[in-house]
Amino acid sequence: MAHVTYAASPDEIADVRAYWEELGLPGLIDVHTHFMPQRVLDKVWAYFDALGEGVWPITYRQAEADRVGLLRRFGVVRYTSLLYPHKPGMAEWLNGWAAEFADAHDDCLHSATFYPERGAEGYVAAAISSGARVFKAHLQVGGYDPRDPLLDGVWGALADAGVPAVVHCGSGPEEGPFTGPGPFSEVLRAHPRLKAVVAHAGTPEYSEFLDLAERYEGVHLDTTMVFTEFTERLAPFPPEEVPRLKALEDRILLGSDFPNIPYPYVHQLQCLADLGLGEGWLRSVLYGNGARLFSV
């Protein structure tokens, strides 16, 4: 399948920048972006390509340096290199790569990951000691139970250190054996101080994950792909739940899934503004909450 390398236009860059400039912000903090070893990223892109032509096109299919440069031109002042293993023996290697990436890009929040395996508690502790500021857990791709005893010490270490974990625990886009609010709610019950960022706001179980955010002050929701035309076709956000987003203003974080999104980056910002929750809410979501969570 032939692919065209994307080149952002000056108009697109200006449109993204207008959202934060008009709010008087210093830029955007995007807690859900992906940078990973190229051969791993190639496999991720191949997965989306295999869905069929036009089903999930990768908008920002660019070289790594071009993707970093584009985020900077958009005005994204902090972003993540979220990566995730799907088998034992992979996480520690990914953490080494992510540490090197963060060393080379000081605007990237040093990211790390883990898998339920012997030694996980040790390499997570080592990553925290070396400066990791955010972890990624992907229950769908990893296919693991977050309640696995091999992870109890991991969740405990993250809670003790106050290091957030971005957790893909919702059942979208495909249900897994341990997705949905049930398994992860038990993790939170065992580790109530855990700072967790529920990826994609828990798509499609939005209401249930809003419940968890209201119950646990450390639970946040990221906006990744939520409210966009793409997701609204598949798992629409319930209109009656929008007021709860306003009430949780200090716990909603901008996420995009860049570069693996099937539309321009600005579309996510447009959809957040279209919720009509006010400029103060947008300031919190686009920058303020991330700045506080990560001490930017």
Side-chain angles (χ1 to χ4, degrees), residues 151-153 155-157 159 186-195 216:
L151 292 180
D152 190 58
W155 297 122
E186 294 187 30
V187 172
L188 291 169
R189 191 176 304 122
H191 303 279
R193 295 182 298 112
L194 180 67
K195 291 183 178 179
Y216 298 99

Side-chain angles (χ1 to χ4, degrees), residues 72-180:
R72 291 171 176 169
R73 289 195 294 277
F74 282 160
V76 179
V77 296
R78 292 292 188 279
Y79 56 92
T80 55
S81 60
L82 300 185
L83 17 65
Y84 40 86
H86 61 274
K87 60 183 178 181
M90 189 176 180
E92 194 167 9
W93 167 67
L94 290 173
N95 289 350
W97 184 93
E100 292 179 2
F101 185 86
D103 285 343
H105 305 85
D106 59 9
D107 46 356
C108 179
L109 296 167
H110 180 171
S111 309
T113 190
F114 51 84
Y115 192 83
E117 58 189 333
R118 294 188 184 280
E121 187 174 349
Y123 65 66
V124 165
I128 293 171
S129 296
S130 70
R133 300 174 70 184
V134 61
F135 281 72
K136 176 65 184 285
H138 204 312
L139 307 187
Q140 178 197 357
V141 171
Y144 60 82
D145 190 335
R147 302 161 297 188
D148 191 309
L150 289 168
L151 292 180
D152 190 58
V154 168
W155 297 122
L158 292 174
D160 290 344
V163 176
V166 176
V167 185
H168 188 130
C169 44
S171 299
E174 292 182 4
E175 185 177 2
F178 305 108
T179 60

